[in-house]
Amino acid sequence: MAIDRDGPQALGNFPDAEAGLEWSNELKRGRVPGPRLAQHKVVEAARGDSTKCVHAGTFEDPSVGSVVTPIFQTSTFLFSEKTYSSFTQGNTRDVPIYTRYGNPNQWSVQEKIATLEGAESSVVFASGMAAIFSTLLSLTNRGGHIVSSRDVYGGTYNLLREDMHQFGRSVSLVDPTSIEQVEQAICDETQLLFFETLTNPLLKAPRLLELIALAKRRQLLVVLDNTFLTPILFRPIEIGADIVIHSCTKYMNGHSDLVAGVASGARKYIDRIWAQHLKVGGQLEPISCFLLERGLKTLALRMRQQQKSANDLVQYLGQHPKVGKVHHPLARHYQYPWVDQFCRGNFGAMIAFEVVGGDEAALALLRHLRLPAAATSLGGVESLVSLPFNTSHSVLTAAQRKALGIEPGLVRFSVGIEDTVDLIADLEQALGKLGAMS
Ligand SMILES: *Cc1c(COP(=O)(O)O)cnc(C)c1O
């Protein structure tokens, strides 16, 4: 069942506009890219990733010539002729009116991210979960069905299992690496597929090309959470995904100092997600947009360094006698060879590995490590380690964890930008102490 064209949320019968001036939730009307103002710098698609990271979306301040985007810490904006006409024309997303509707700082970040993704439009949120909730609610109808996976991020899993049915959306959770299971789960009511491009913590890869082909045949929307890879390493829109979501809390910001999310895609869908977001709240504050914009400037640099280190750590861990399986596409135990159909050798900077000696040994390893901080979250400049058994997957029984592939002793390692030799030396001394103990 394709999503309702007019939808329960359609605002009225605005005619299709030639120039895209008018908007409503009606999916067929004309639209312009953005939102953006004349002051927001546009960078052509042909430019490189770092150029886009630095320049796209910068607000070129006409008053004093500030080189970086000023902070528009305001809840509301002076009425103008444009404001009044936006109310009657229905293009309130494109005019500064009120910060829940839009703000130049949000538009700067959105322009930067949309440019990196190759998307028409993006909308930022106060968290990754706000982005996921608004997207799922706005792109399905009551009675609709969603196919997703058991391996998704814990917050997403809880939302899918505990809440979506309360809104009249049913959900099937399948193994994301089995196209047969996805196909079997699809029914007449199915409207949307939701998957993560690499899963947490085992880096399982869905068969994305087949999934997208299947979705096109059945007229389903494909929403992908690409938090682990970022647009620097993989751009889902290019292979036909409809919406890409990130928890910007992770790599996109990269400094572990804010919580944010984003959804990107064709403007007709992002407008609809935005309209949902207006009603449920969860807008990103201008000050956080400023920090996120600053973080994004080094995204390409950071991803390259973090990925290079992660690849070296996979090599190192793979030959260490105290380490069992390493879960990473470059490790010999990895079981999802189709990952290269879309990753093309870029697997990001998350690693999971099993320590010989089980969870006790893993706990001891965390005590001995000096550089990585033991904390949840990932994607920051500082390395972070955590154990799924007592954090993200603690609500599961040992048998349920085993069914997902989470064995005793599993350590999740988010590789930061520290020097690779220092990370390896730290692992070497910490793993060395495990032997002394047993
Ligand atoms: C952290 C995370 C989320 C949730 O994002 P928040 O910013 O914490 O709300 C969603 N998906 C993935 C893959 C994540 O890692």
Side-chain angles (χ1 to χ4, degrees):
M1 160 166 119
I3 180 176
D4 245 1
R5 289 239 154 224
D6 299 315
Q9 318 158 15
L11 298 183
N13 292 319
F14 293 106
D16 272 358
E18 292 279 279
L21 244 192
E22 295 132 349
W23 84 266
S24 76
N25 274 333
E26 205 280 309
L27 291 174
K28 285 176 288 191
R29 69 162 197 83
R31 277 157 225 266
V32 293
R36 59 186 175 224
L37 301 171
Q39 291 83 8
H40 285 108
K41 205 177 199 172
V42 174
V43 174
E44 315 87 273
R47 300 284 189 190
D49 282 343
S50 270
T51 306
K52 291 174 185 169
C53 282
V54 175
H55 292 285
T58 302
F59 184 94
E60 297 183 294
D61 163 42
S63 57
V64 294
S66 168
V67 169
V68 301
T69 302
I71 303 176
F72 296 88
Q73 192 69 28
T74 180
S75 60
T76 191
F77 298 85
L78 292 177
F79 284 135
S80 68
E81 277 316 308
K82 266 186 140 176
T83 328
Y84 293 120
S85 77
S86 76
F87 287 125
T88 54
Q89 301 289 303
N91 65 325
T92 49
R93 194 182 167 209
D94 293 282
V95 180
I97 299 172
Y98 183 63
T99 288
R100 181 157 47 77
Y101 282 59
N103 174 294
N105 287 110
Q106 293 167 358
W107 296 349
S108 284
V109 191
Q110 289 172 186
E111 178 67 24
K112 200 185 284 298
I113 295 174
T115 304
L116 286 166
E117 297 283 8
E120 275 176 17
S121 188
S122 297
V123 56
V124 286
F125 297 82
S127 71
M129 285 315 303
I132 292 169
F133 178 59
S134 293
T135 300
L136 293 181
L137 198 61
S138 57
L139 296 185
T140 54
N141 304 113
R142 188 168 185 85
H145 173 245
I146 297 168
V147 180
S148 185
S149 137
R150 287 189 190 85
D151 293 82
V152 290
Y153 175 77
T156 311
Y157 180 76
N158 293 339
L159 172 70
L160 290 170
R161 265 181 45 116
E162 295 166 11
D163 300 287
M164 289 315 289
H165 70 97
Q166 305 280 10
F167 295 96
R169 277 73 161 166
S170 57
V171 178
S172 298
L173 300 175
V174 301
D175 176 350
T177 68
S178 162
I179 197 78
E180 293 76 23
Q181 283 195 23
V182 176
E183 196 151 15
Q184 274 164 22
I186 294 172
C187 58
D188 288 348
E189 287 70 36
T190 307
Q191 295 186 313
L192 184 150
L193 308 183
F194 180 95
F195 291 100
E196 293 174 359
T197 51
L198 283 182
T199 71
N200 172 38
L202 299 175
L203 305 186
K204 295 182 191 172
R207 289 181 176 265
L208 275 191
L209 299 190
E210 288 99 320
L211 273 177
I212 288 170
L214 174 62
K216 301 264 179 244
R217 282 203 302 281
R218 304 291 298 262
Q219 282 194 289
L220 310 176
L221 293 175
V222 177
V223 180
L224 297 177
D225 179 337
N226 193 36
T227 298
F228 275 33
L229 288 172
T230 81
I232 304 304
L233 303 182
F234 172 49
R235 286 177 290 279
I237 306 264
E238 286 178 0
I239 65 162
D242 297 290
I243 304 292
V244 53
I245 289 182
H246 292 277
S247 165
C248 296
T249 314
K250 318 293 171 51
Y251 292 103
M252 297 291 262
N253 179 55
H255 293 72
S256 307
D257 53 10
L258 61 81
V259 174
V262 69
S264 309
R267 178 134 190 200
K268 61 181 181 178
Y269 295 131
I270 301 300
D271 278 354
R272 189 175 266 215
I273 297 169
W274 170 82
Q276 187 72 61
H277 175 52
L278 277 190
K279 291 174 281 182
V280 297
Q283 277 65 28
L284 192 61
E285 275 291 294
I287 182 94
S288 295
C289 292
F290 172 84
L291 288 171
L292 177 54
E293 186 183 347
R294 184 169 71 166
L296 280 163
K297 289 180 187 179
T298 55
L299 178 65
L301 277 178
R302 286 186 280 108
M303 289 314 289
R304 280 186 217 121
Q305 167 66 19
Q306 284 169 266
Q307 171 165 269
K308 193 180 151 299
S309 256
N311 292 350
D312 289 351
L313 287 189
V314 169
Q315 289 296 317
Y316 166 77
L317 291 165
Q319 51 72 49
H320 200 287
K322 305 263 174 59
V323 174
K325 275 189 193 163
V326 180
H327 299 272
H328 186 278
L330 293 176
R332 65 177 176 277
H333 300 290
Y334 195 72
Q335 296 165 28
Y336 317 103
W338 53 84
V339 67
D340 249 343
Q341 287 179 345
F342 61 95
C343 276
R344 299 170 189 222
N346 288 311
F347 308 120
M350 294 300 296
I351 299 175
F353 59 95
E354 292 162 17
V355 180
V356 174
D359 291 332
E360 281 306 310
L363 284 166
L365 180 76
L366 256 56
R367 285 196 301 275
H368 296 316
L369 283 170
R370 293 196 206 112
L371 280 182
T376 193
S377 198
L378 58 107
V381 292
E382 58 288 287
S383 293
L384 292 178
V385 283
S386 61
L387 308 181
F389 100 90
N390 65 1
T391 58
S392 55
H393 294 73
S394 60
V395 296
L396 303 184
T397 64
Q400 286 171 324
R401 282 196 292 271
K402 211 177 169 67
L404 284 178
I406 297 171
E407 296 283 344
L410 190 75
V411 178
R412 185 182 84 167
F413 200 117
S414 165
V415 182
I417 64 165
E418 299 95 341
D419 292 286
T420 319
V421 288
D422 291 335
L423 291 175
I424 290 181
D426 195 31
L427 275 165
E428 180 75 7
Q429 65 80 20
L431 285 165
K433 285 187 180 134
L434 294 187
M437 246 187 19
S438 54

